[in-house]
Amino acid sequence: MTSPIDIEGGGRSAVVDGAPEPETKGEDKKLEGRSPGQLMWLRFKRDRTGVICAWVVLGYFVIAALAPVISALYGKDPYTLYGQDPEYVNDNPVLDDFGLPLGYFGGVSGEHWFGVEPQFGRDVFTMLLYGMRTSLYMALGVSTLLMVTGIVIGLVGGYFGGRTDFFLGRITDFFLSFPQQLFFIAFMPVVTAFFVDPRDETPTYFRALAILIVLWLLGWMSMARLVRSTVLSLREREFVEAAKVAGASPWRIVRKEILPNVVSPILVQFTYQLPNTILTIAFLSFAGVGFVEPTPDWGRMFATGAKVAEQDPAFMFFPGVALVVFVLCFNLLGDAVRDALDPKSGR
């Protein structure tokens, strides 16, 4: 038993018999300083919606990457015409005399989990797997290129200002003046025809390169303006002025002082940019200027579904649900990342 201890002045200490001493060491450990990245991660983990959406988005990318493996285990591929190839038609017909899937809900069965495509009889499940692979990784590449270009132009224009900023600003305004949707449709055939003879079939890899070029030329401006506005507010701050007085080079100031402070808006913008890019790629294929037969693609599946919507509305169901779930989860993930980076904007 701990007895009270007399202190100077005749009083007694605050220690009560049997009371434990305060655990100051443990509390000190809990209150140790954390980096902004650690604080962001702790706040993000507390957002259940954000964590669930992150796992869903990660699952999409993993499934898309493993599309060939899943297709091999499944025993089907997105290119075989199961409704026209005699090898399959004689053993297990999947289309009727009108070219529509046999069975319920677009031909869903144990052999074809998501049904088959009208007229050709291609397997919808593997078409969706490979379509996700095409769209997701194309969008990831385009979004990364847009981010890098926008960051470089925004940093240079915002930090150096003056004529450099004026010149880069006029270039940005020039590209912003183009009506993007119409220009996508008009410019894609021009790009492909410039390098490929119209009498020859355009290779799939070249179509992918053309899509990347068009989306890159018309998509970097929003990132550049965001970075520029953030840098303009940072370059007059005390820590930047202190670095200048200390003799730091412009490259070191941009790399060490300014760039770490623009990571947050860049990361949030990226989480919104990627699903928008997926929708744009799907739009190009839907309009007939993106990926074409027989390359599996989300947009091409929607184009086919629009043609057969009255006869086989089920064909649009699985690609539509997959795209809606992905875009919704990625947008919710972007909200969660924004709230984790900026607690004042939290819900």
Side-chain angles (χ1 to χ4, degrees):
M1 300 290 290
T2 305
S3 60
I5 302 174
D6 290 338
I7 61 175
E8 186 178 355
R12 294 180 180 271
S13 70
V15 179
V16 182
D17 289 347
E21 295 183 0
E23 297 180 0
T24 56
K25 293 183 179 180
E27 292 180 359
D28 290 342
K29 291 182 179 179
K30 293 181 181 178
L31 296 176
E32 285 180 356
R34 293 189 176 95
S35 67
Q38 291 174 326
L39 294 174
M40 176 265 183
W41 177 243
L42 290 175
R43 287 191 291 264
F44 179 78
K45 287 194 299 183
R46 289 197 292 264
D47 190 334
R48 293 184 179 180
T49 302
V51 172
I52 293 173
C53 290
W55 280 108
V56 172
V57 169
L58 180 62
Y60 267 78
F61 279 98
V62 171
I63 291 173
L66 297 177
V69 178
I70 298 174
S71 177
L73 296 174
Y74 176 58
K76 303 288 189 301
D77 64 76
Y79 305 105
T80 302
L81 307 180
Y82 296 99
Q84 296 183 356
D85 193 330
E87 179 182 351
Y88 298 97
V89 172
N90 297 332
D91 297 336
N92 186 21
V94 294
L95 300 177
D96 60 18
D97 295 337
F98 300 98
L100 297 177
L102 293 169
Y104 296 100
F105 207 69
V108 173
S109 65
E111 290 291 325
H112 302 279
W113 295 350
F114 289 178
V116 295
E117 181 186 24
Q119 298 181 351
F120 300 107
R122 282 179 287 218
D123 183 76
V124 175
F125 178 69
T126 53
M127 289 178 67
L128 180 57
L129 287 179
Y130 279 80
M132 288 168 49
R133 190 186 192 198
T134 302
S135 299
L136 291 181
Y137 287 100
M138 270 294 300
L140 183 62
V142 171
S143 299
T144 302
L145 188 59
L146 295 179
M147 182 179 66
V148 172
T149 305
I151 290 172
V152 171
I153 294 178
L155 282 174
V156 172
Y159 180 76
F160 291 100
R163 293 182 178 179
T164 303
D165 186 32
F166 177 82
F167 177 71
L168 294 177
R170 300 297 72 77
I171 293 178
T172 304
D173 293 337
F174 172 75
F175 280 101
L176 282 172
S177 65
F178 290 103
Q180 289 194 357
Q181 301 294 341
L182 294 177
F183 199 76
F184 285 149
I185 299 174
F187 197 59
M188 273 294 299
V190 174
V191 172
T192 54
F194 188 78
F195 294 97
V196 180
D197 192 322
R199 294 169 294 183
D200 299 334
E201 183 179 355
T202 304
T204 300
Y205 76 88
F206 190 83
R207 283 190 173 275
L209 182 61
I211 292 173
L212 188 146
I213 293 174
V214 172
L215 296 183
W216 169 60
L217 285 175
L218 299 178
W220 56 266
M221 295 81 70
S222 59
M223 180 66 77
R225 284 199 160 185
L226 173 66
V227 174
R228 174 186 175 273
S229 63
T230 307
V231 173
L232 285 176
S233 65
L234 289 173
R235 69 177 186 179
E236 306 298 334
R237 300 283 292 273
E238 292 81 0
F239 61 89
V240 175
E241 294 294 335
K244 291 180 181 178
V245 172
S249 65
W251 164 244
R252 180 176 177 80
I253 294 175
V254 169
R255 182 167 56 91
K256 293 289 187 179
E257 307 295 340
I258 293 180
L259 189 57
N261 288 282
V262 297
V263 169
S264 297
I266 289 172
L267 186 58
V268 173
Q269 180 68 14
F270 181 79
T271 59
Y272 293 122
Q273 180 69 52
L274 193 141
N276 290 335
T277 305
I278 290 176
L279 294 176
T280 303
I281 294 173
F283 165 76
L284 290 176
S285 298
F286 184 86
V289 294
F291 293 104
V292 297
E293 295 278 2
T295 304
D297 178 68
W298 253 334
R300 197 177 63 76
M301 293 185 74
F302 292 138
T304 302
K307 296 176 183 178
V308 300
E310 295 184 0
Q311 295 79 19
D312 183 22
F315 180 79
M316 188 79 80
F317 178 77
F318 293 107
V321 169
L323 183 60
V324 169
V325 169
F326 179 82
V327 174
L328 176 63
C329 287
F330 218 107
N331 286 334
L332 292 176
L333 176 62
D335 292 339
V337 171
R338 180 199 61 201
D339 295 340
L341 290 171
D342 185 8
K344 296 180 181 179
S345 67
R347 293 181 291 274

